[in-house]
Amino acid sequence: MSELKRGALLSYVNIGLSNIIGLILTPFIVKSLGSSEYGLYTLIGSFVAYLTLMDLGLNNTIVRYVSKYRAEADKEAEIKFLATAMWVYLAIAIILIIIGVFIYFQLDTIFSNSLTIIELGRAKVMFLILLVNLVITIPGGSFSAICNAYESFVFPRFVNIVKYLLRAISIFAVLSWGGKAISLVLIDTAFNIIIVMVTFVFVIKKLNIRLNLREYDRKMIREIFSYSFWVFLFTIVHQFQWNAGQVVLGMTTSTTLVAIFGIGILIGGYYNAFAGVVTSMLLPKATQLIVQERSGLEITEVFIKIGRMITYILFLIISGFFLLGKSFIFLWLSNDYKESWIIALLMMAGMTMPILQVFGNTVLEAKKKNKFKALVSIVTVSIAVVVGYYYSLRYGVKGMMIPLFIAMLFNSIIMNFYFVKIFDFKFKYFIKSVIMKPLIVTAILTLIAYWLLNMINVDSWFLFGIFGFLYAITFLTLTYFLLMNPYEKSFVKTIFK
């Protein structure tokens, strides 16, 4: 099996494991910390997440340019590029410390209306720990980017699997001994630093990468930022989409509503993780296609090949969550978090088309045409955040989520027109090949299952497990026999072998 396929399988093992661990640990964390403390943990994590923007899109830039230099067999340019990128990362780390210290002294003002004095004290400690985390892990992310550029997908994903397991054990032990949110932040920081060190050794020893800081080229700095700036803008949109809600609610409401919104976003994040797997491994492939000047039809065929496999997984998840999401949240946490269901469902619905077309983003990055997407996204999502700020004062979590959902739909519609313009994307062909038939089958099955659920009160994990298992088996069976083509069936058989 190829490195790409093994990396993809490990990535989905990674996702499955992290999801399972998250589903098991989250109720334990919420119960151990309490809704207020968990909300504070979520709030500060979301707030600090904006500092990750200091990456400035350099990780994607490294993948793109190292892939390009490898395709052109230009080792000298690759060495100069990596040396230049490392100097840029050093400058970012220094700037990050300056900005972080400034924000630290502003936390009292920012959250004066929503946090108590005790909560503010804890928030400051967590902020400082996470700042140290970012100063190390943002430059450290370059080593994972190098692995992706070299299409070495297995090792980083294996290391992450080990990390998830050890992190889960550590969190369970620390909270059992009475630890609080600060303890969780310390655990995450420690494991992130270890991952950076291990990946660095792999890049140097196994991939034989030369990182000689003396070989930097100042002329490359302009080229780096001409590409990374638009990736950076899109990262701003991503942070707005995933973290602005918690920050806004932390300013306008309470930490309890932050926790409710955060749980919905957490579940939506599991759904979005599938796109991250595909994106991280497809940029090298997209770059090669662009270098080879493939046609719009050939690129669309890659869209379809990837999109069809993702469709089966996503449609199973979103239809299952529509049917059993309320029962799941009630059993998983409590009825106090019932609004998290609609938050997660809206997030999933808004992300479905972008996830199915995730290869389009990698093509835009490879062609250095992601400027338009970044501008459109930042405008629509920024408007959504502003509208959400005012509506959250009256409608709480729903008032924050609905504008974000509408912005995601607008982005998806606009980007399909842009794909057609930039690389002659065959939109109708894509919809017919990827979405139509699976959507019809999923809709019919969901309606039947919904009718059956109305006669059953799923109020126990036993009933939840039975109904969920039967639905999943029915969905996958119909998918295999009614939807999959011969290539996809052979791929499934290969996995089982």
Side-chain angles (χ1 to χ4, degrees):
M1 187 180 293
S2 68
E3 181 81 9
L4 178 62
K5 290 182 179 179
R6 285 185 293 156
L9 289 176
L10 274 180
S11 294
Y12 283 115
V13 169
N14 203 327
I15 290 173
L17 184 65
S18 65
N19 287 358
I20 292 171
I21 290 175
L23 294 175
I24 295 173
L25 269 184
T26 300
F28 176 71
I29 293 173
V30 173
K31 183 178 180 181
S32 300
L33 298 181
S35 294
S36 180
E37 179 87 354
Y38 179 77
L40 180 65
Y41 170 68
T42 303
L43 173 61
I44 296 302
S46 300
F47 186 73
V48 172
Y50 284 98
L51 291 178
T52 61
L53 295 173
M54 289 300 297
D55 170 69
L56 302 179
L58 285 180
N59 279 358
N60 284 57
T61 307
I62 287 174
V63 176
R64 196 267 177 188
Y65 276 93
V66 172
S67 299
K68 175 178 178 292
Y69 294 136
R70 288 189 70 219
E72 297 170 348
D74 192 344
K75 189 66 178 178
E76 183 179 350
E78 177 189 327
I79 293 172
K80 289 183 178 179
F81 171 81
L82 289 175
T84 307
M86 293 304 158
W87 277 109
V88 173
Y89 269 122
L90 178 61
I92 287 174
I94 295 172
I95 295 171
L96 185 60
I97 292 172
I98 296 172
I99 294 175
V101 171
F102 174 77
I103 294 176
Y104 173 81
F105 290 106
Q106 303 301 316
L107 290 177
D108 293 282
T109 303
I110 295 172
F111 297 112
S112 61
N113 296 326
S114 56
L115 300 184
T116 65
I117 295 177
I118 295 176
E119 288 175 332
L120 276 171
R122 293 175 181 171
K124 286 184 173 181
V125 174
M126 286 190 284
F127 181 86
L128 284 179
I129 297 171
L130 289 173
L131 179 61
V132 173
N133 185 343
L134 291 180
V135 168
I136 296 173
T137 56
I138 285 182
S142 62
F143 306 127
S144 295
I146 292 171
C147 290
N148 286 334
Y150 269 73
E151 299 183 74
S152 181
F153 303 118
V154 173
F155 178 79
R157 285 150 184 81
F158 175 75
V159 170
N160 273 327
I161 290 173
V162 175
K163 169 193 168 182
Y164 280 125
L165 290 172
L166 295 179
R167 176 182 179 274
I169 295 171
S170 301
I171 288 175
F172 181 80
V174 168
L175 292 184
S176 297
W177 294 333
K180 295 298 181 182
I182 293 175
S183 304
L184 299 186
V185 173
L186 284 170
I187 290 172
D188 286 335
T189 300
F191 277 108
N192 286 340
I193 293 173
I194 292 172
I195 290 294
V196 169
M197 295 170 62
V198 171
T199 309
F200 170 75
V201 172
F202 177 81
V203 165
I204 299 299
K205 299 294 185 181
K206 186 68 176 178
L207 300 183
N208 297 316
I209 302 299
R210 286 177 53 193
L211 295 176
N212 189 344
L213 297 181
R214 297 177 181 176
E215 299 190 42
Y216 72 95
D217 185 350
R218 290 182 181 179
K219 296 179 181 178
M220 282 188 170
I221 295 177
R222 183 175 181 179
E223 186 172 359
I224 287 173
F225 283 109
S226 69
Y227 175 81
S228 69
F229 177 73
W230 302 108
V231 179
F232 163 65
L233 282 186
F234 188 72
T235 306
I236 293 177
V237 176
H238 180 82
Q239 293 294 351
F240 263 52
Q241 192 168 291
W242 290 98
N243 297 298
Q246 291 95 308
V247 175
V248 168
L249 290 170
M251 296 169 65
T252 60
T253 58
S254 65
T255 53
T256 300
L257 287 184
V258 171
I260 293 171
F261 190 88
I263 290 295
I265 295 297
L266 176 68
I267 297 172
Y270 294 149
Y271 189 74
N272 184 59
F274 290 98
V277 171
V278 178
T279 303
S280 64
M281 292 185 290
L282 288 182
L283 186 53
K285 177 68 174 177
T287 303
Q288 292 168 15
L289 286 175
I290 301 308
V291 170
Q292 296 165 6
E293 298 183 350
R294 297 296 181 90
S295 68
L297 180 60
E298 289 175 299
I299 294 176
T300 303
E301 290 287 358
V302 179
F303 260 85
I304 292 171
K305 189 175 181 180
I306 297 166
R308 283 177 62 87
M309 296 299 287
I310 301 176
T311 298
Y312 307 141
I313 300 170
L314 296 189
F315 279 20
L316 170 60
I317 295 173
I318 194 170
S319 61
F321 190 76
F322 172 78
L323 294 167
L324 294 168
K326 286 183 179 179
S327 299
F328 167 74
I329 289 175
F330 171 75
L331 296 168
W332 185 45
L333 295 172
S334 71
N335 205 42
D336 294 338
Y337 289 84
K338 60 184 178 182
E339 286 186 294
S340 299
W341 173 76
I342 189 63
I343 301 301
L345 193 62
L346 287 174
M347 183 62 74
M348 291 179 184
M351 289 188 299
T352 297
M353 183 62 80
I355 291 176
L356 295 182
Q357 297 179 328
V358 66
F359 189 65
N361 297 331
T362 62
V363 172
L364 291 181
E365 290 180 12
K367 290 176 73 69
K368 297 200 288 187
K369 294 289 186 179
N370 45 0
K371 173 181 177 180
F372 179 79
K373 178 178 175 64
L375 290 175
V376 169
S377 299
I378 199 167
V379 169
T380 55
V381 175
S382 296
I383 292 173
V385 170
V386 173
V387 173
Y389 176 88
Y390 290 102
Y391 274 86
S392 66
L393 294 169
R394 183 174 180 181
Y395 300 107
V397 293
K398 292 179 182 177
M400 186 66 243
M401 186 62 231
I402 291 176
L404 285 174
F405 170 69
I406 294 173
M408 292 164 71
L409 293 183
F410 269 107
N411 286 342
S412 182
I413 294 170
I414 294 171
M415 288 313 302
N416 273 286
F417 286 103
Y418 191 62
F419 290 158
V420 173
K421 178 182 178 181
I422 293 300
F423 51 85
D424 193 25
F425 175 55
K426 310 300 181 183
F427 176 70
K428 292 182 180 179
Y429 181 38
F430 176 84
I431 295 296
K432 180 181 177 181
S433 302
V434 175
I435 296 177
M436 289 305 298
K437 195 173 179 180
L439 183 62
I440 293 171
V441 172
T442 302
I444 293 172
L445 181 60
T446 302
L447 287 173
I448 295 172
Y450 185 77
W451 175 71
L452 291 173
L453 265 179
N454 284 334
M455 297 185 291
I456 304 172
N457 183 22
V458 182
D459 57 357
S460 68
W461 283 115
F462 177 76
L463 288 175
F464 178 87
I466 291 295
F467 194 92
F469 176 77
L470 291 175
Y471 179 76
I473 290 297
T474 304
F475 184 98
L476 293 174
T477 302
L478 292 174
T479 296
Y480 185 83
F481 289 104
L482 298 180
L483 301 177
M484 286 189 173
N485 59 35
Y487 168 79
E488 292 160 355
K489 289 180 179 179
S490 67
F491 181 74
V492 171
K493 291 176 182 178
T494 302
I495 293 175
F496 279 100
K497 288 180 182 179

